Amino acid sequence: MGQSNGGFSKTGLQRVRDVLARHVDSGKIPGVVALFSTGDETHVEALGTMRHDGGEPMRRDTIFRMASTSKPVSVAAAMVLLDECRLRLDDPVQEWLPELADRRVLKRIDGPLDDTVPARRPITARDVLTSTFGLGMDMTSIGTPVMNAVFEQGLTPNLPTPMPEPDEWIRRLGELPLMHQPGERWQYHIASDLLGVLVARVTGQSFEDFLRERIFDPLGMKDTGFHVPADRIHRLPPLYAPDPQTGEFHVWDEAEGGRHSAPPAFQSGGGGLNSTVDDYHAYFRMLLNGGVHGGERILSRAAVELMTTNRLTPEQQAARQELATNNVHISFGQGQHGGWGFGMAVRTYRGDYAPVGQFGWDGGSGASTYADPVNNLTGILLTQVGASVPNPVHLMHDFWTTLYQAIDG
């Protein structure tokens, strides 16, 4: 099996469209915008409506809440700093984040917050980039004192109160013990938010300003940012979180006056971006192109290779694999299949239709964004239905399953 040399087959494209339409016609997914490309061939499907009760149609330029698919994009800011030697992988972050000096580590993950030992070493930039700095959203540890404290302190999104501004956020984070020793174990999400605070401290700019200057503007990502300006808010659909029992549509976040209608106190690299299929396509094509966009170098090839290949040790990999497999009833099967680079998943074994080497991530708002160097393929799938129910995730599975069959190689 060599590399695919063709584009998409006609029959394959029709099947992709049919599977998207089937989900929309079911009434479970009000609307979807999908973009997929291989080589110079790009296709866009926009189906359904902005609201579950009808209204404006989905369009190619509809803006979506990217949720955790923010992670693979926001991490690029740190890669710029590594490229410019303003940050080194093994620099202790306490130089910029003194709140994280002299860490204590829980003796047991479910132990009391004061039952700790000293950290064996300082937290490094590498620990933060690989999501192994010692704290994270551990779905297998819900109800433990430390996870309760993470929620109570407002350190994670999607709670009734928004996350505090970065200095206050890092102060609160600094009051908690670590769950694991630095560099020991992969843990989800918090590292991606911490990275934004680190970038802002190193550069003296807001995280968004630095991202805009170095990543968004050079790539022409004109609709990407941490809020949607008033003159574009009509392009943002409401985000629904259907009732897990009844499937009834509940609005989780309205567009006008909602969480994304004004600049947030905390610019969340872990989940705060809004964007469009074309903006994300430009970003993932740049990665597939070794860091170059339209003749301009955005990131070094070496930086892209570091981001998009597995960075976890076999031990960390085993722990991540166990986490993914044991949470399959919560994730509906997404987020499995192997390793983690910087800010994104990397397939390290063939667990479904995608080949080893595919990189990207999914979001709890119904977004799925991956690129695949084997087939020179990019896919961006965006909906307005949160993963409180399996429907948007089943749509993701069906999209990728049919997309990989559509490659005419």
Side-chain angles (χ1 to χ4, degrees):
M1 278 176 58
Q3 292 212 338
S4 158
N5 54 4
F8 300 108
S9 71
K10 235 178 141 144
T11 336
L13 288 172
Q14 188 57 50
R15 287 179 71 181
V16 173
R17 187 182 174 82
D18 289 347
V19 85
L20 297 175
R22 195 165 77 215
H23 282 269
V24 172
D25 294 345
S26 75
K28 306 283 197 216
I29 303 286
V32 58
V33 183
L35 182 154
F36 40 99
S37 71
T38 178
D40 297 328
E41 189 184 339
T42 300
H43 298 269
V44 178
E45 299 286 356
L47 301 171
T49 53
M50 299 272 281
R51 304 192 72 92
H52 90 90
D53 43 9
E56 289 291 308
M58 283 288 181
R59 294 188 175 89
R60 182 169 181 162
D61 72 349
T62 298
I63 296 171
F64 291 88
R65 298 162 192 77
M66 301 309 293
S68 285
T69 63
S70 303
K71 293 174 170 73
V73 172
S74 62
V75 72
M79 306 313 292
V80 170
L81 296 179
L82 291 174
D83 273 347
E84 295 181 350
C85 303
R86 293 160 78 183
L87 190 61
R88 296 178 203 90
L89 281 169
D90 295 300
D91 281 345
V93 296
Q94 64 201 40
E95 180 184 337
W96 299 278
L97 306 171
E99 297 90 343
L100 298 184
D102 306 318
R103 294 295 75 203
R104 308 284 305 177
V105 184
L106 289 174
K107 285 186 187 167
R108 294 199 348 251
I109 189 88
D110 57 353
L113 296 182
D114 55 0
D115 190 16
T116 59
V117 295
R120 286 195 286 266
R121 62 166 177 77
I123 295 168
T124 64
R126 186 188 302 269
D127 300 327
V128 179
L129 278 159
T130 52
S131 278
T132 61
F133 83 97
L135 276 171
M137 294 286 295
D138 188 340
M139 293 307 167
T140 58
S141 303
I142 297 291
T144 57
V146 69
M147 278 307 301
N148 288 346
V150 165
F151 292 131
E152 283 158 15
Q153 290 291 327
L155 296 173
T156 55
N158 301 337
L159 296 169
T161 49
M163 289 162 67
E165 49 83 29
D167 289 348
E168 173 60 15
W169 184 87
I170 191 90
R171 186 193 68 75
R172 294 181 194 179
L173 190 75
E175 290 184 343
L176 296 180
L178 301 180
M179 299 172 177
H180 299 283
Q181 289 285 346
E184 190 175 62
R185 194 181 176 100
W186 181 87
Q187 290 188 287
Y188 188 53
H189 183 76
I190 295 179
S192 300
D193 279 344
L194 179 57
L195 201 65
V197 185
L198 178 61
V199 167
R201 293 267 180 98
V202 172
T203 61
Q205 291 175 267
S206 81
F207 188 38
E208 183 167 34
D209 285 348
F210 189 73
L211 273 167
R212 178 149 285 122
E213 191 181 297
R214 306 307 299 272
I215 305 296
F216 302 161
D217 284 353
L219 287 172
M221 296 172 71
K222 60 185 187 301
D223 289 318
T224 304
F226 290 109
H227 85 287
V228 181
D231 62 349
R232 298 178 207 180
I233 199 86
H234 63 283
R235 289 164 53 198
L236 180 74
L239 175 61
Y240 296 103
D243 184 288
Q245 269 66 54
T246 66
E248 185 192 345
F249 278 91
H250 294 298
V251 174
W252 176 258
D253 185 43
E254 200 46 89
E256 302 258 355
R259 295 160 193 239
H260 291 258
S261 64
F266 190 96
Q267 297 170 352
S268 166
L273 287 176
N274 306 278
S275 194
T276 61
V277 288
D278 281 293
D279 280 11
Y280 257 58
H281 184 227
Y283 179 78
F284 276 90
R285 293 302 302 186
M286 176 272 291
L287 295 182
L288 280 183
N289 202 27
V292 172
H293 171 81
E296 186 186 350
R297 181 159 290 288
I298 311 291
L299 295 172
S300 69
R301 179 173 290 280
V304 172
E305 287 168 358
L306 266 178
M307 293 161 75
T308 60
T309 54
N310 181 46
R311 304 265 64 79
L312 302 184
T313 65
E315 295 76 25
Q316 292 166 344
Q317 182 81 317
R320 169 163 149 68
Q321 189 52 42
E322 189 188 350
L323 196 69
T325 314
N326 289 342
N327 279 309
V328 75
H329 59 293
I330 296 169
S331 67
F332 312 112
Q334 280 300 92
Q336 296 195 96
H337 322 307
W340 196 258
F342 288 158
M344 67 189 89
V346 179
R347 305 266 158 158
T348 48
Y349 72 94
R350 189 104 194 209
D352 58 17
Y353 282 51
V356 169
Q358 186 206 45
F359 55 81
W361 199 226
D362 310 290
S365 59
S368 186
T369 59
Y370 288 87
D372 157 11
V374 177
N375 298 290
N376 195 21
L377 175 84
T378 308
I380 316 288
L381 175 80
L382 305 178
T383 77
Q384 78 279 53
V385 182
S388 54
V389 288
N391 310 99
V393 187
H394 289 164
L395 169 57
M396 291 172 196
H397 288 299
D398 297 351
F399 170 66
W400 292 109
T401 299
T402 45
L403 186 57
Y404 272 105
Q405 294 173 65
I407 298 168
D408 196 20

